[in-house]
């Protein structure tokens, strides 16, 4: 569906550009992006053909962003931002958190400040679910209050990417803020309905990766640089081989194959060294998504962790997307990315409701 509307997009914390790519597919024109990591900026530029501002967001203001994006004061544009979220996982106490002064909230605060300074037509904020239901709640409330004061109404929800055509269970809070004058009742209802989307038939691991060539441990598909299996040491390989095919878990292993550290675990960590299921969505791709010791990241039927290509397919990153950096850096960028299909769906929704 091609829209006649022209909206520019500014992507703050742009990473390697998956959110930007999805918005571009929805019809947005990428005006500028901002990202601190030079490798991610290189990958961004080679795919999006836009050079991001390579800076620490803390040293940039709204004026500079508008200038870099050649955005005039009267122009309609949107901002998307996925502030880094690692710090929220370490927060255990929410009651004593002062959201306005806590250093861990600095990126959320800065993002809100950029909105105040640039006044986009709409803003999309993406983050981990802890932001609304857990440790980051105070920061999220602070963010909402700031945007409200700046003249925006926000609709938000925790969505599962699997409900948006992504073959992966990935729960993220999406907050869509629009200038109050555009947030009519009809628009608000439409956004609420969109963020409550539930799908019966989810895309599966089979849909995402079944056509890729089988590869053995330590080997690669000579036609695809990103479809390679990392080497597993003999002890790990023995475990992997013994995990039942299609959804098997380490808890099903004979006791003699249990690692010492696993013997000490009473509850939890059931997914580590787990195999994905062919007929279900994959688990959340993380920054360690090709590492069996870090989650359910073993191929459903082959005896190896998934390849970067498989992880990218699960993140709905197209095969013609150029990666950069070494294996570990690539794995991190993939795990951090917003699934392209999810970003595209959000972009299409915005195009439908914005003036
Ligand atoms: C969750 S990732 C964004 C992923 C991206 N939206 C995508 O779809 O590929 C957050 C990004 O913020 C960047 N970042 C972290 N601290 C930053 C800072 N101080 N200034 C600018 N960018 C920063 C990280 O390097 C990372 O790429």
């Amino acid at each position: 569906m091609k829209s006649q509307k022209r909206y520019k997009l500014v992507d703050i914390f742009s990473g390697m550009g998956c959110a930007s790519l999805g918005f571009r597919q929805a019809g947005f024109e990428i005006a500028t992006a901002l990202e601190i990591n030079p490798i991610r900026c290189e990958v961004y530029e080679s795919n999006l053909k836009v050079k991001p501002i390579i800076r620490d967001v803390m040293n940039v203001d709204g004026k500079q962003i508008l200038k870099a994006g050649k955005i005039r004061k009267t122009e309609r544009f949107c901002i998307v931002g996925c502030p880094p979220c690692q710090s929220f996982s370490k927060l255990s106490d929410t009651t004593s958190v002062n959201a306005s002064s806590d250093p861990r909230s600095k990126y959320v605060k800065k993002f809100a400040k950029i909105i105040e300074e640039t006044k986009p037509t709409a803003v999309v904020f993406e983050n981990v679910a802890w932001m609304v239901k857990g440790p980051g709640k105070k920061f999220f409330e602070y963010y909402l209050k700031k945007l409200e004061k700046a003249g925006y109404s926000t609709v938000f929800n925790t969505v599962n990417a699997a409900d948006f055509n992504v073959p992966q269970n990935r729960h993220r809070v999406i907050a869509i803020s629009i200038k109050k004058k555009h947030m009519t009742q009809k628009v608000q209802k439409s956004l609420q309905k969109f963020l409550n989307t539930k799908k019966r038939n989810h895309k599966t691991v089979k849909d995402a990766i079944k056509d890729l060539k089988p590869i053995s441990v330590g080997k690669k598909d000579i036609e695809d640089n990103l479809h390679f299996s990392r080497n597993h040491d003999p002890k790990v390989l023995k475990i992997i081989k013994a995990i039942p095919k299609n959804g098997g878990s380490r808890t099903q292993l004979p006791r003699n194959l249990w690692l010492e550290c696993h013997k000490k675990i009473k509850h939890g960590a059931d997914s580590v060294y787990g195999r994905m299921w062919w007929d279900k969505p994959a688990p959340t791709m993380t920054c360690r998504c090709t590492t069996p010791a870090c989650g359910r990241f073993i191929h459903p039927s082959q005896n190896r962790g998934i390849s970067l290509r498989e992880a990218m397919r699960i993140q709905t990153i197209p095969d013609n997307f150029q990666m950069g950096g070494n294996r570990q850096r690539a794995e991190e960028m993939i795990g951090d990315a917003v699934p392209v299909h999810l970003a595209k769906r959000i972009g299409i929704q915005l195009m439908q409701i914005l003036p």
Side-chain angles (χ1 to χ4, degrees):
M1 185 195 56
K2 269 255 179 266
S3 165
Q4 296 308 308
K5 295 177 195 169
R6 294 304 300 163
Y7 264 95
K8 285 188 174 173
L9 182 84
V10 173
D11 188 347
I12 310 284
F13 308 105
S14 59
M16 66 170 170
C18 288
S20 288
L21 180 61
F23 274 86
R24 177 179 278 172
Q25 289 175 355
F28 283 78
E29 178 196 332
I30 314 296
T32 190
L34 183 137
E35 163 63 46
I36 197 170
N37 180 317
I39 297 175
R40 293 182 178 211
C41 289
E42 252 177 52
V43 177
Y44 188 103
E45 190 178 354
S46 64
N47 288 288
L48 279 298
K49 311 297 173 212
V50 171
K51 191 177 174 61
I53 308 167
I54 312 178
R55 293 275 290 277
D56 182 341
V57 72
M58 302 312 289
N59 303 327
V60 176
D61 65 22
K63 231 177 170 179
Q64 291 165 303
I65 291 170
L66 291 177
K67 192 169 172 212
K70 299 192 174 70
I71 298 169
R72 284 171 280 114
K73 268 227 152 115
T74 50
E75 206 167 359
R76 300 180 308 185
F77 73 103
C78 297
I79 291 188
V80 59
C82 319
C85 50
Q86 282 84 349
S87 59
F88 300 118
S89 61
K90 296 180 199 123
L91 288 169
S92 51
D93 175 18
T94 54
T95 49
S96 61
V97 169
N98 179 345
S100 60
S101 61
D102 191 302
R104 291 167 296 193
S105 69
K106 72 176 179 182
Y107 295 130
V108 177
K109 275 174 71 181
K110 181 67 185 181
F111 186 62
K113 181 108 180 106
I114 289 171
I115 307 306
E116 279 174 2
E117 291 170 345
T118 56
K119 293 270 187 286
T121 316
V123 187
V124 177
F125 171 97
E126 188 260 11
N127 222 290
V128 289
W130 294 302
M131 262 288 181
V132 285
K133 291 208 182 94
K137 197 168 169 211
K138 289 243 160 141
F139 302 150
F140 186 59
E141 283 166 0
Y142 174 90
Y143 171 75
L144 292 180
K145 219 155 79 192
K146 278 278 166 199
L147 262 74
E148 160 80 29
K149 271 197 185 154
Y152 291 83
S153 290
T154 301
V155 176
F156 68 90
N157 200 6
T158 301
V159 305
N160 182 2
D163 289 321
F164 295 82
N165 270 348
V166 177
Q168 177 190 174
N169 287 314
R170 187 179 186 92
H171 295 90
R172 289 291 185 266
V173 50
I174 305 289
I176 302 179
S177 309
I178 298 186
K179 277 187 178 162
K180 282 179 189 165
K181 64 177 175 191
H182 302 310
M183 188 68 97
T184 59
Q185 250 186 10
K186 193 173 160 208
V187 166
Q188 190 169 22
K189 271 200 181 145
S190 163
L191 279 177
Q192 277 162 348
K193 188 169 170 219
F194 173 70
L195 292 178
N196 273 318
T197 300
K198 294 280 174 276
K199 209 168 176 259
R200 255 167 203 242
N201 298 315
H202 288 150
K203 286 248 159 79
T204 65
V205 169
K206 192 189 274 170
D207 295 326
I209 68 168
K210 186 72 180 167
D211 63 310
L212 294 172
K213 284 203 184 125
I215 42 174
S216 332
V217 132
K219 298 277 185 267
K220 85 169 174 194
D221 175 354
I222 47 165
E223 287 168 11
D224 182 350
N225 268 340
L226 296 171
H227 189 41
F228 64 90
S229 154
R230 53 194 299 180
N231 258 319
H232 301 299
D233 81 43
K235 201 166 157 194
V236 169
L237 192 55
K238 207 167 163 190
I239 293 175
I240 291 177
K241 283 182 175 166
I243 300 274
K245 299 275 157 49
N246 203 17
S249 295
R250 68 164 180 86
T251 48
Q252 294 167 280
L253 291 173
R255 192 80 185 167
N256 65 319
L257 282 180
W258 284 45
L259 296 172
E260 283 313 310
C261 56
H262 292 156
K263 286 181 190 160
K264 291 183 199 135
I265 300 173
K266 295 262 183 296
H267 303 287
D270 289 355
S271 62
V272 303
Y273 292 105
R275 277 188 196 272
M276 302 193 300
W277 284 268
W278 276 125
D279 292 318
K280 291 186 188 183
T284 305
M285 293 294 103
T286 67
C287 292
R288 291 284 169 273
C289 57
T290 68
T291 314
C294 296
R296 190 172 289 283
F297 299 137
I298 302 179
H299 189 280
S301 54
Q302 296 168 38
N303 291 325
R304 57 175 177 82
I306 58 170
S307 67
L308 290 175
R309 171 67 65 217
E310 285 159 340
M312 288 170 77
R313 287 273 188 97
I314 290 167
Q315 280 280 55
T316 57
I317 301 170
D319 285 358
N320 63 0
F321 195 91
Q322 306 291 313
M323 283 303 298
N326 58 21
R327 185 200 57 74
Q328 196 182 333
R329 296 286 96 81
E331 185 182 34
E332 288 164 3
M333 289 188 266
I334 294 167
D336 266 351
V338 178
V340 177
H341 283 188
L342 175 60
K344 179 179 175 184
R345 288 285 302 276
I346 297 169
I348 290 172
Q349 173 68 18
L350 274 182
M351 282 292 189
Q352 282 167 359
I353 57 167
L354 289 179

